[in-house]
Amino acid sequence: MNIPNITFNHDMSNQAEFEIIELSSLYERTTLSHSPEDPHRVSFFMIIHIERGEGTHMVDFEEYPFRAGSMIFVQREQVHAFDLSSKPKGKVLLFTQIFLDNVHTNMRLPNYTPTHLNNQHTPLLTLDLQNNQRSHTLINEMIAEIKLNNSDPLIIMYLFSALALLLHRLRPKMRHDKLSTEQSIKLAKFFTLMQEHFQQIRDANWYASQINTTYKTLNQVCKLATALTAKQMIDAFTLIEMKRRLIVTNAPSQQIAYDFGFEDASNFVKYFKKQTTLTPSQFQKKYTTPKL
């Protein structure tokens, strides 16, 4: 089983790099190229606001129970799967790195950093009644603005920023917003490079040189953003990808060792066990479930 890569639909968003859809459209559409309930990787960011219904949303093979008032955050390149069994109602905000860059250019906004690489991260936030209502209002205001013939992208950005800041305040443990604009750019470049080369290159010095900075500076940026060193970020990202391959494809260790540039399977097993305390086969047995 391969993990589908779902890219952002620029036509649907009228090139705005931002879209809001009804959650119900995912189980009412018949034209989707994949099942939303099967694991799939997204190349964009998502915020899912649950208005009604309950279930468990899978993010990188961990199950997170949701109910009315839940917010689920999915970072770009994460693998996730919807649970639509209760026919939940709500809204899904989809946006790209380009949209975030535009927002950062125009106003203050918390940095969307790869905090999911830190094991203290959780993609789930349950809102109280007041904050749930405020979030609902801001999302509906964005929808209303998008529908206007003379819609102003700046108004949408301000409303989005208000929502992001509201949610950001409710997640103090996730706050790593001390980065300057220059540091944010470095981090984004590092993360993009890591996504492209992590299978062959896990040397933090190489990544630093590619973005014209020093290892020390890259380390500082990574620590501010995620509380991890650059090497720890690379290992965490690599490990998540290895777990995805082990569980979704059920590939043998020899194949994954080859895919990730290890000289032989034993080196891969040592690397994986050092990071997780489990061998790849033990991990497969522990985390493979009949239905995701």
Side-chain angles (χ1 to χ4, degrees):
M1 174 185 176
N2 292 319
I3 306 175
N5 285 300
I6 309 305
T7 57
F8 190 83
N9 190 327
H10 296 276
D11 294 331
M12 290 291 288
S13 77
N14 197 25
Q15 308 303 316
E17 308 290 331
F18 179 81
E19 185 186 3
I20 300 176
I21 63 171
E22 291 286 344
L23 186 54
S24 59
S25 71
L26 295 178
Y27 49 82
E28 291 170 355
R29 285 184 190 178
T30 56
T31 56
L32 290 175
S33 60
H34 70 287
S35 169
E37 294 189 89
D38 289 338
H40 57 282
R41 188 197 310 271
V42 290
S43 67
F44 45 88
F45 300 89
M46 299 175 69
I47 300 176
I48 304 159
H49 182 214
I50 304 296
E51 297 169 3
R52 198 170 74 210
E54 57 185 36
T56 54
H57 196 94
M58 185 278 282
V59 182
D60 280 335
F61 305 99
E62 295 289 336
E63 302 279 352
Y64 297 92
F66 65 79
R67 56 181 173 81
S70 292
M71 284 280 188
I72 303 163
F73 303 84
V74 181
Q75 301 256 1
R76 62 174 179 160
E77 300 306 321
Q78 285 196 295
V79 170
H80 77 125
F82 289 90
D83 176 1
L84 304 175
S85 56
S86 70
K87 296 286 192 288
K89 299 285 186 183
K91 304 290 190 296
V92 185
L93 284 67
L94 306 92
F95 47 99
T96 67
Q97 184 64 51
I98 293 173
F99 173 78
L100 289 176
D101 290 344
N102 289 337
V103 172
H104 282 124
T105 300
N106 287 285
M107 63 208 68
R108 173 182 165 236
L109 182 70
N111 291 298
Y112 271 75
T113 56
T115 50
H116 64 286
L117 298 181
N118 188 317
N119 58 18
Q120 293 178 339
H121 168 86
T122 173
L124 183 70
L125 172 65
T126 302
L127 302 174
D128 59 29
L129 195 60
Q130 181 187 28
N131 285 303
N132 188 44
Q133 184 55 53
R134 294 182 74 190
S135 299
H136 183 76
T137 300
L138 287 166
I139 292 170
N140 282 341
E141 284 297 320
M142 281 185 261
I143 293 170
E145 182 63 28
I146 289 169
K147 287 180 178 177
L148 292 176
N149 289 331
N150 60 342
S151 173
D152 187 337
L154 199 56
I155 293 175
I156 295 167
M157 288 184 196
Y158 273 114
L159 290 166
F160 177 85
S161 296
L163 176 66
L165 287 165
L166 174 72
L167 299 176
H168 192 59
R169 184 169 60 192
L170 299 173
R171 308 174 86 208
K173 289 184 180 178
M174 300 297 116
R175 295 186 68 160
H176 298 289
D177 52 355
K178 302 170 185 175
L179 298 186
S180 67
T181 302
E182 185 183 354
Q183 288 172 323
S184 295
I185 292 169
K186 277 189 171 65
L187 183 71
K189 286 180 178 177
F190 170 51
F191 195 60
T192 299
L193 275 173
M194 186 167 59
Q195 289 168 330
E196 294 171 356
H197 300 288
F198 71 94
Q199 287 188 213
Q200 285 77 36
I201 302 170
R202 287 181 281 278
D203 178 4
N205 285 291
W206 182 87
Y207 287 102
S209 68
Q210 292 299 302
I211 57 175
N212 299 315
T213 192
T214 64
Y215 171 79
K216 184 179 178 181
T217 299
L218 180 60
N219 236 20
Q220 182 184 24
V221 170
C222 292
K223 283 183 178 180
L224 282 172
T226 65
L228 301 173
T229 65
K231 181 67 171 88
Q232 287 171 332
M233 273 188 70
I234 295 165
D235 284 337
F237 186 87
T238 304
L239 194 64
I240 288 173
E241 193 61 38
M242 287 173 174
K243 289 177 178 179
R244 291 167 182 163
R245 304 271 179 96
L246 283 166
I247 294 176
V248 175
T249 67
N250 207 31
S253 293
Q254 291 91 334
Q255 181 60 48
I256 296 178
Y258 175 78
D259 291 343
F260 281 83
F262 288 91
E263 291 182 3
D264 56 52
S266 62
N267 286 341
F268 163 63
V269 172
K270 286 176 187 174
Y271 178 87
F272 191 87
K273 189 172 183 179
K274 182 181 178 183
Q275 304 293 329
T276 66
T277 72
L278 298 171
T279 66
S281 58
Q282 287 170 334
F283 178 82
Q284 280 178 319
K285 288 175 184 175
K286 182 175 180 179
Y287 288 99
T288 302
T289 54
K291 181 181 183 300
L292 289 170

